[in-house]
Amino acid sequence: MSDLEAPLRPKRKKIWVDYFVQFRWIIVIFVVLPISFTLYFLTYLGDVWSESKSFKKRQQEHDENVEKVVKRLKERNPKKDGLVCTARKPWIAVGMRNVDYKRARHFEVDLSAFRNVLEIDQERMVARVEPLVNMGQISRVTVPMNLSLAVVAELDDLTVGGLINGYGIEGSSHIYGLFSDTVVAYEIVLADGQLVRATKDNEYSDLFYAIPWSQGTLGLLVAAEIKLIPIKDYMKVTYKPLVGNLKELAQGYIDSFTPRDGDQDNPDKVPDFVETMIYSPTEAVFMTGRYASKEEAKKKGNKTNSVGWWFKPWFYQHAQTALKKGEFVEYIPTREYYHRHTRCLYWEGKLILPFADQWWFRFLFGWLMPPKVSLLKATQGDAIRNYYHEMHVIQDMLVPLYKVGDALEWVHREMEVYPIWLCPHRLYKLPVKTMVYPEPGFELQRRQGDTQYAQMYTDVGVYYAPGPVLRGEEFDGSEAVCRMESWLIENHGFQPQYAVSELNEKNFWRMFDAGLYEHARRKYGAVGTFMSVYYKSKKGRKTEKEVQEAEQAICEAPDAEAD
């Protein structure tokens, strides 16, 4: 058997959950989609109302809301009240992991009002926004000004707070890094109710570097200043197909955005946007984008494509046509390009509504898409949720660029999931060692894509039902995730914490570095006030006793200093 051959697996007997999932589209069409559309529309009206206010008025409301948060925290009695968390309902979170930590006794702080764009500073090229501002909202404000966040995560519903405290990436991350790398300053309410502004060079610089990946366990984020970049009206997108084995596809992906001469900072050699879709073990399409003016896009002979219309083919299927017709170029309106995967949720929409990609559904009902992830979660009980954990994969593997081929072969062998999304990002060498960090000595290797100050990584996005599940064979999702996490630890990779994790505490801190994080936890009073990031990410139900024991163990441990 070759390395890429999938092992033969016994057939799996269907149970009642299989039939419920198979016909879940009925609930999605008649319940989830109408409610989703209504919520999207009401949210849009709320955004328009917010944007109609002056920046001065928004700042005044922001200050009043911060005062409420400070007052609420100061009301907490540590001896009687539980750990602090936001009042947002668990099912509203976009992430796939169970938000079961809220089943333990907790002290809620309402942050629901923090969803305004506070300022667009064109001199400093910074957007100051509240944590519940989402990507659709911020791009609607900035793109007409020919400005954009340096990293705009694809899905409209993803919020600034979630992308900062967790994980955010886009096709521009090979230039700017992850979403949190583009933040200039954080405004944080600490455990004692103190409001601080953390930057990389002020007295709270340790807090500044500790916040990314901390899942809101160091304080409550109430605003952030994020880097803006100048943009143009269109994105010139080149679709380039390749047929070969997985190693050849990986090298083609690397060559699509990394000059072999190492000149990684040369804009003439490096595209503005990069992504790749691996459609099978032998087929891929590489997409690169460069900002283009309206005049260029409208020149005779150039093709424009407004992919944002509801009746248009889903983007990943549109890109797949390059495998038949060969390399082609088109111009897509910039904001529509940013959110190209929203309507079909990458390709998850195909599983949720098997016929939603058909022309008749797109034309008649495509305007209702996508279903809100939060509503999909709200309409599934424990049995359905556990079924998806076992029979479905929604994971991102962050791996060094030179190991992409190995990662693709591992996914094929262990999960057999297609399509696979590839998106590169820089992992910076920082003054301190953060939770995620480059391989030691990477700058000496001079590998393709790396620079002296950053190692190039890639997100290997694995989202879909595994091949064995689609064939009706046995598949153990939990065991597969365990093997994936072990592979990542062995290869200096990372797993974003939005996903379901099987890591125990020891292995969690083998994957991530605890030094700076635990230092900040103690220094800023988070221990005993906010749940630790491992415990917040842990799979399964959390009881109050477990929370107390875990926090007590942290309190009794010796101080950990940042490296």
Side-chain angles (χ1 to χ4, degrees):
M1 186 177 74
S2 72
D3 288 343
L4 292 183
E5 281 187 41
L8 296 176
R9 305 171 191 260
K11 289 291 184 179
R12 173 180 169 273
K13 293 183 179 179
K14 285 190 175 183
I15 57 176
W16 70 269
V17 179
D18 292 279
Y19 297 102
F20 185 90
V21 170
Q22 182 180 351
F23 294 102
R24 194 182 176 201
W25 60 266
I26 299 173
I27 295 176
V28 173
I29 285 182
F30 294 105
V31 178
V32 175
L33 279 183
I35 297 176
S36 293
F37 179 80
T38 302
L39 290 176
Y40 281 126
F41 182 68
L42 292 176
T43 300
Y44 171 75
L45 292 180
D47 294 344
V48 172
W49 169 246
S50 171
E51 292 161 19
S52 69
K53 302 175 186 176
S54 66
F55 285 128
K56 183 177 180 181
K57 177 64 174 175
R58 294 181 219 175
Q59 181 61 50
Q60 179 184 346
E61 292 179 354
H62 173 76
D63 293 339
E64 292 171 355
N65 289 327
V66 170
E67 281 300 315
K68 293 177 183 177
V69 172
V70 170
K71 181 181 178 182
R72 174 67 174 159
L73 278 174
K74 290 182 176 179
E75 291 174 349
R76 175 175 174 266
N77 184 335
K79 295 182 179 180
K80 295 181 179 180
D81 297 320
L83 295 174
V84 172
C85 65
T86 65
R88 187 169 66 161
K89 299 301 181 185
W91 55 270
I92 293 178
V94 177
M96 294 299 105
R97 62 183 171 85
N98 301 344
V99 193
D100 283 333
Y101 63 87
K102 290 193 177 183
R103 297 180 189 272
R105 182 168 59 99
H106 56 272
F107 183 85
E108 292 186 344
V109 179
D110 188 3
L111 299 181
S112 60
F114 288 86
R115 56 183 319 272
N116 293 311
V117 177
L118 297 175
E119 183 181 12
I120 302 295
D121 189 333
Q122 297 190 53
E123 291 186 7
R124 294 176 58 218
M125 289 297 282
V126 164
R128 182 166 173 261
V129 300
E130 293 180 321
L132 292 185
V133 169
N134 64 36
M135 293 297 99
Q137 182 182 358
I138 188 67
S139 66
R140 189 164 52 246
V141 172
T142 59
V143 169
M145 304 167 69
N146 283 334
L147 297 173
S148 171
L149 298 183
V151 174
V152 183
E154 287 92 345
L155 302 184
D156 285 21
D157 271 0
L158 297 174
T159 63
V160 166
L163 295 169
I164 285 173
N165 283 299
Y167 163 75
I169 191 173
E170 230 295 23
S172 59
S173 289
H174 66 294
I175 299 174
Y176 300 105
L178 297 177
F179 188 88
S180 55
D181 293 316
T182 67
V183 177
V184 176
Y186 302 106
E187 295 175 35
I188 301 284
V189 179
L190 301 177
D192 62 359
Q194 180 185 6
L195 175 66
V196 302
R197 181 175 181 270
T199 69
K200 65 181 179 181
D201 51 11
N202 72 358
E203 61 183 306
Y204 299 105
S205 62
D206 52 354
L207 181 62
F208 176 86
Y209 286 115
I211 286 171
W213 296 77
S214 67
Q215 296 290 331
T217 60
L218 296 174
L220 297 175
L221 179 70
V222 293
E225 297 172 29
I226 308 172
K227 180 179 180 178
L228 291 169
I229 61 170
I231 63 169
K232 298 179 181 178
D233 295 312
Y234 281 82
M235 188 69 69
K236 179 184 178 182
V237 183
T238 301
Y239 304 80
K240 184 177 180 179
L242 180 66
V243 175
N245 61 43
L246 286 173
K247 289 288 190 180
E248 291 169 339
L249 300 184
Q251 187 58 52
Y253 160 69
I254 293 171
D255 290 337
S256 72
F257 70 97
T258 61
R260 293 206 174 193
D261 61 6
D263 197 8
Q264 192 64 39
D265 290 321
N266 189 335
D268 293 330
K269 298 180 180 179
V270 178
D272 295 317
F273 270 74
V274 176
E275 71 175 331
T276 284
M277 257 86 89
I278 308 290
Y279 290 98
S280 76
T282 59
E283 297 176 318
V285 175
F286 314 123
M287 283 150 284
T288 55
R290 290 185 177 274
Y291 289 110
S293 65
K294 183 181 294 185
E295 292 73 22
E296 178 184 344
K298 298 294 184 179
K299 281 183 180 178
K300 186 176 180 180
N302 288 343
K303 179 184 178 182
T304 60
N305 183 10
S306 296
V307 298
W309 286 104
W310 75 87
F311 50 81
K312 288 280 189 172
W314 288 357
F315 184 76
Y316 83 95
Q317 294 177 339
H318 170 64
Q320 192 174 9
T321 61
L323 291 169
K324 289 186 176 180
K325 65 182 182 181
E327 181 175 336
F328 67 96
V329 177
E330 64 183 9
Y331 293 80
I332 299 175
T334 297
R335 185 169 184 268
E336 295 183 24
Y337 178 77
Y338 285 161
H339 303 294
R340 60 200 177 279
H341 293 300
T342 291
R343 190 155 41 91
C344 53
L345 300 175
Y346 288 89
W347 29 88
E348 285 287 303
K350 183 69 174 174
L351 281 179
I352 298 167
L353 291 171
F355 43 77
D357 60 336
Q358 300 299 305
W359 69 267
W360 58 269
F361 185 93
R362 296 198 316 268
F363 185 79
L364 295 175
F365 305 108
W367 53 275
L368 288 169
M369 293 289 283
K372 286 185 77 70
V373 174
S374 56
L375 282 177
L376 291 172
K377 292 170 65 178
T379 55
Q380 64 183 32
D382 286 344
I384 305 300
R385 182 173 60 184
N386 291 334
Y387 175 90
Y388 281 119
H389 287 177
E390 292 295 328
M391 302 294 165
H392 199 87
V393 178
I394 300 183
Q395 296 283 346
D396 289 89
M397 303 168 64
L398 308 188
V399 300
L401 181 63
Y402 71 95
K403 293 186 177 180
V404 170
D406 295 336
L408 292 177
E409 290 186 343
W410 188 93
V411 171
H412 178 87
R413 185 168 55 250
E414 298 290 339
M415 295 179 174
E416 202 182 340
V417 171
Y418 292 97
I420 296 173
W421 186 61
L422 299 182
C423 184
H425 71 90
R426 276 177 165 160
L427 192 54
Y428 290 97
K429 183 180 180 181
L430 300 172
V432 292
K433 193 175 184 182
T434 56
M435 285 183 66
V436 298
Y437 55 96
E439 291 180 300
F442 76 90
E443 66 274 21
L444 304 176
Q445 301 296 323
R446 305 182 70 85
R447 295 188 183 97
Q448 197 171 347
D450 292 351
T451 61
Q452 287 297 309
Y453 57 88
Q455 184 177 14
M456 194 66 75
Y457 265 61
T458 279
D459 182 334
V460 180
V462 187
Y463 329 121
Y464 210 62
V469 173
L470 295 175
R471 294 192 296 269
E473 299 169 359
E474 288 188 0
F475 181 80
D476 190 330
S478 296
E479 181 59 33
V481 170
C482 283
R483 291 195 296 271
M484 181 199 78
E485 291 166 335
S486 296
W487 189 93
L488 287 173
I489 291 171
E490 292 168 3
N491 289 274
H492 200 83
F494 303 97
Q495 174 193 35
Q497 297 151 354
Y498 82 87
V500 176
S501 173
E502 302 288 342
L503 289 170
N504 58 34
E505 189 167 8
K506 178 182 178 181
N507 285 334
F508 184 88
W509 293 119
R510 286 179 63 204
M511 180 179 290
F512 302 102
D513 189 86
L516 177 64
Y517 172 74
E518 292 297 353
H519 161 83
R521 290 263 295 164
R522 289 176 172 82
K523 180 177 177 180
Y524 296 105
V527 178
T529 302
F530 300 101
M531 186 177 291
S532 70
V533 66
Y534 164 71
Y535 208 77
K536 193 170 183 179
S537 303
K538 179 184 174 184
K539 179 182 176 182
R541 297 175 182 269
K542 286 84 175 174
T543 66
E544 183 180 350
K545 181 180 178 182
E546 288 177 316
V547 172
Q548 290 174 338
E549 290 175 350
E551 289 299 301
Q552 186 63 34
I554 293 173
C555 290
E556 294 174 353
D559 286 349
E561 296 297 329
D563 291 344

